C-alpha cells in the first residue's frame, strides 16, 4: 500500500469512527483509491529495469570485447537479434500479463539499439557524429514507446534527450553548443508521455528544462535567462494559486507543478544573485523578493505538499547563507538586511495569523 493509500485508510477509519460515513462506503473508497493509485514504479519494478539495463550492457560488452574475433555478418546479426528478441519477447510477455518482464525486455531492446548504432557505425565507418547517433537512438526509442505505449521506454526517450542536452552543453564532444532545438524535442516527448501515461517523464522533462535554462545562462547571458527562468516560474506559481485545477488538467504533473515552479524560481534567483554579488541594491531587492515568494508559497500552497514545504525551507536557509557569505565583509550591512527581512516576515506572519483567525470565527 502506498503512502497516500495508508493516509487515506487512517482518515477513513477516523471518518467511520466519527459517524461521517459507514464502513461499506469507506471500504469502497479505499478500494477505488488503491486501484487508481499510481504505483507503476515499485521497488521491485525499478530493480527489474536496472537488471535489464545491466544485462544489455553486459551483452554489448561481450560483443565489443570479442569484436575482432567475430565475423562481420555475425556481429550485425547478433545486434539485430538482440533488438528483435527484446521487442518481440517483451510483447509476448505483455500478452501473458508479465508487465514488469515485458518492460524490462523492451528496455534491453532499446539499449541494444543504441549500442548497435555505435558498434555498426564504427564497423562500417558510417558518416556522422555523436550528436546524430544520440538523436537517432532517441527517435528510435521514442517510436517504440509510442507503438508499445510503454512508460519506461518514454522515460528512456526523455533520458536520452537529456543526455544529448548535457553532452552538448558541457562540451563533451568539443563543440560547446547548447542545442536551441531542445525545447522542441522536450515538447514532442511531453506529448508522447500523455499518450503513454507516463507522469514520471513529464517530471524529468521539467527538470531538464530548468537545467537547459541554466546552460543557456552560462553560455550566453546570466541576467537575461536567470530573469526569464525566475519570471516564468513565478507566473506558474501564480497560476497554481489562482487556477490550479485547470492548469493541472493541462500539464498533468500529479499536482507537483508548484514544486517545480518554486525550484525554477529559486534557481533563476540564485543565478541573478551570483551574477550581481557586487551590486548591493540588486542583491537586497532579489533577497526580499525571494523571501516574499517563499513565504507566500508556504502559506498558499504548502499545506497539501510536504515536498513543497521542504523545498521552501531549504531555499530560505540557502538564501540566508548566501546573504551572509556575500556580505561577510560588511557585518553591519548584513545585520541591517536580516533585520529588514525579519521585520517583513514578522508582519506577514502577523497578518496571516489574523486572517486565519478571522476565517475560523466567521460562520460558514
Amino acid at each position: 500500500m502506498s503512502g497516500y493509500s495508508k493516509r487515506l485508510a487512517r482518515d477513513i477509519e477516523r471518518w467511520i469512527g466519527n459517524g461521517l460515513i459507514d464502513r461499506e462506503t469507506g471500504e469502497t473508497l479505499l478500494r477505488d483509491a488503491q486501484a487508481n493509485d499510481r504505483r507503476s514504479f515499485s521497488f521491485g519494478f525499478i530493480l527489474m529495469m536496472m537488471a535489464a539495463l545491466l544485462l544489455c550492457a553486459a551483452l554489448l560488452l561481450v560483443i565489443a570485447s570479442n569484436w575482432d574475433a567475430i565475423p562481420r555478418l555475425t556481429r550485425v546479426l547478433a545486434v539485430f537479434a538482440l533488438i528483435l528478441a527484446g521487442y518481440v519477447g517483451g510483447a509476448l510477455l505483455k500478452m501473458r500479463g508479465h508487465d514488469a518482464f515485458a518492460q524490462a525486455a523492451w528496455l534491453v531492446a532499446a539499449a541494444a539499439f543504441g549500442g548497435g548504432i555505435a558498434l555498426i557505425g564504427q564497423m562500417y565507418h558510417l558518416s556522422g557524429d555523436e550528436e546524430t547517433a544520440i538523436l537517432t537512438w532517441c527517435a528510435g526509442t521514442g517510436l517504440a514507446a509510442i507503438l508499445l505505449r510503454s512508460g519506461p521506454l518514454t522515460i528512456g526517450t526523455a533520458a536520452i534527450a537529456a543526455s544529448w542536452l548535457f553532452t552538448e552543453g558541457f562540451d563533451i564532444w568539443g563543440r560547446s553548443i547548447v542545442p536551441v532545438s531542445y525545447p522542441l524535442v522536450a515538447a514532442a516527448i511531453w506529448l508522447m508521455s500523455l499518450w503513454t501515461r507516463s507522469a514520471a517523464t513529464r517530471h524529468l522533462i521539467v527538470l531538464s528544462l530548468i537545467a537547459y535554462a541554466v546552460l543557456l545562462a552560462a553560455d550566453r547571458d546570466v541576467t537575461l535567462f536567470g530573469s526569464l527562468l525566475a519570471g516564468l516560474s513565478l507566473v506558474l506559481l501564480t497560476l497554481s494559486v489562482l487556477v490550479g485545477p485547470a492548469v493541472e488538467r493541462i500539464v498533468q504533473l500529479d499536482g507537483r507543478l508548484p514544486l517545480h515552479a518554486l525550484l525554477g524560481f529559486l534557481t533563476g534567483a540564485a543565478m541573478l544573485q551570483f551574477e550581481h554579488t557586487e551590486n548591493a541594491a540588486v542583491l537586497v531587492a532579489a533577497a526580499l523578493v525571494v523571501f516574499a515568494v517563499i513565504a507566500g508559497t508556504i502559506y498558499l500552497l504548502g499545506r497539501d505538499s510536504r515536498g513543497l514545504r521542504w523545498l521552501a525551507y531549504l531555499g530560505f536557509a540557502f538564501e540566508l547563507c548566501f546573504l551572509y557569505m556575500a556580505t561577510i565583509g560588511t557585518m553591519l550591512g548584513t545585520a541591517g538586511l536580516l533585520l529588514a527581512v525579519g521585520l517583513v516576515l514578522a508582519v506577514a506572519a502577523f497578518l496571516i495569523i489574523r486572517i486565519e483567525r478571522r476565517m475560523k470565527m466567521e460562520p460558514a
Side-chain angles (χ1 to χ4, degrees):
M1 188 182 295
S2 68
Y4 168 72
S5 297
K6 290 180 180 178
R7 293 194 302 272
L8 181 61
R10 292 195 296 267
D11 290 337
I12 287 176
E13 287 298 326
R14 188 179 71 254
W15 297 337
I16 294 174
N18 293 334
L20 298 176
I21 59 175
D22 57 64
R23 183 162 295 278
E24 182 180 357
T25 302
E27 292 176 352
T28 302
L29 291 173
L30 185 59
R31 283 195 301 269
D32 180 75
Q34 292 174 348
N36 292 279
D37 200 9
R38 299 184 178 183
R39 298 176 293 169
S40 300
F41 292 95
S42 64
F43 183 66
F45 191 87
I46 292 173
L47 287 180
M48 181 63 69
M49 299 300 105
M50 294 173 63
L53 294 177
L54 290 174
L55 175 62
C56 185
L59 292 173
L60 291 174
L61 285 175
V62 168
I63 297 174
S65 61
N66 297 281
W67 201 240
D68 295 331
I70 302 175
R72 178 175 294 186
L73 181 60
T74 306
R75 304 173 198 171
V76 177
L77 291 177
V79 172
F80 277 97
L82 187 58
I83 297 173
L84 182 64
Y87 282 126
V88 175
L92 294 175
L93 289 168
K94 181 75 172 179
M95 292 172 61
R96 294 176 178 271
H98 303 296
D99 185 66
F101 289 99
Q103 301 291 349
W106 290 337
L107 281 180
V108 168
F113 177 65
I117 292 173
L119 295 176
I120 295 175
Q122 180 187 29
M123 182 172 60
Y124 288 100
H125 304 288
L126 300 178
S127 61
D129 53 17
E130 297 85 354
E131 179 182 6
T132 303
I134 294 177
L135 289 177
T136 304
W137 185 17
C138 180
T141 305
L143 179 60
I146 293 173
L147 294 176
L148 298 170
R149 205 169 189 178
S150 169
L153 283 180
T154 310
I155 296 174
T157 305
I160 296 170
S163 69
W164 165 57
L165 169 64
F166 287 109
T167 53
E168 293 294 312
F170 285 104
D171 196 18
I172 301 298
W173 313 120
R175 288 186 291 271
S176 186
I177 300 174
V178 179
V180 295
S181 59
Y182 181 75
L184 296 177
V185 175
I189 299 175
W190 188 289
L191 294 176
M192 184 194 309
S193 72
L194 297 177
W195 165 250
T196 60
R197 298 189 295 270
S198 176
T201 299
R202 294 189 284 278
H203 292 299
L204 180 59
I205 291 173
V206 173
L207 293 175
S208 69
L209 287 174
I210 295 174
Y212 177 68
V214 174
L215 289 174
L216 282 177
D219 185 59
R220 301 186 181 185
D221 190 329
V222 175
T223 301
L224 173 61
F225 288 99
S227 301
L228 287 175
L229 178 59
L232 179 59
S233 300
L234 189 57
V235 169
L236 292 176
L237 275 173
T238 304
L239 291 176
S240 298
V241 173
L242 299 178
V243 287
V247 175
E248 174 58 28
R249 284 194 295 271
I250 297 174
V251 299
Q252 297 185 31
L253 285 170
D254 294 335
R256 293 183 175 88
L257 177 62
L259 181 65
H260 292 302
L262 180 59
L263 178 61
F265 172 78
L266 293 176
T267 303
M271 288 194 293
L272 287 173
Q273 289 179 299
F274 277 114
E275 181 70 8
H276 298 282
T277 52
E278 303 299 327
N279 191 329
V282 173
L283 196 63
V284 171
L288 291 175
V289 171
V290 169
F291 285 127
V293 171
I294 289 175
T297 301
I298 293 175
Y299 175 66
L300 296 172
L301 297 168
R303 180 175 301 173
D304 299 323
S305 174
R306 181 181 301 177
L308 184 65
R309 293 196 300 272
W310 275 107
L311 179 60
Y313 299 151
L314 289 174
F316 182 81
F318 174 82
E319 188 67 24
L320 285 179
C321 293
F322 174 77
L323 288 175
Y324 178 76
M325 296 300 296
T327 59
I328 194 170
T330 56
M331 292 296 185
L332 186 59
T334 305
L337 177 62
L338 295 180
L339 176 62
V341 172
L343 290 175
V344 170
L345 293 179
V347 172
F350 175 76
L351 293 176
I352 289 171
I353 292 172
R354 290 293 299 273
I355 292 172
E356 289 179 336
R357 288 180 177 176
R358 181 174 298 178
M359 292 176 63
K360 290 180 179 180
M361 294 175 62
E362 289 180 353

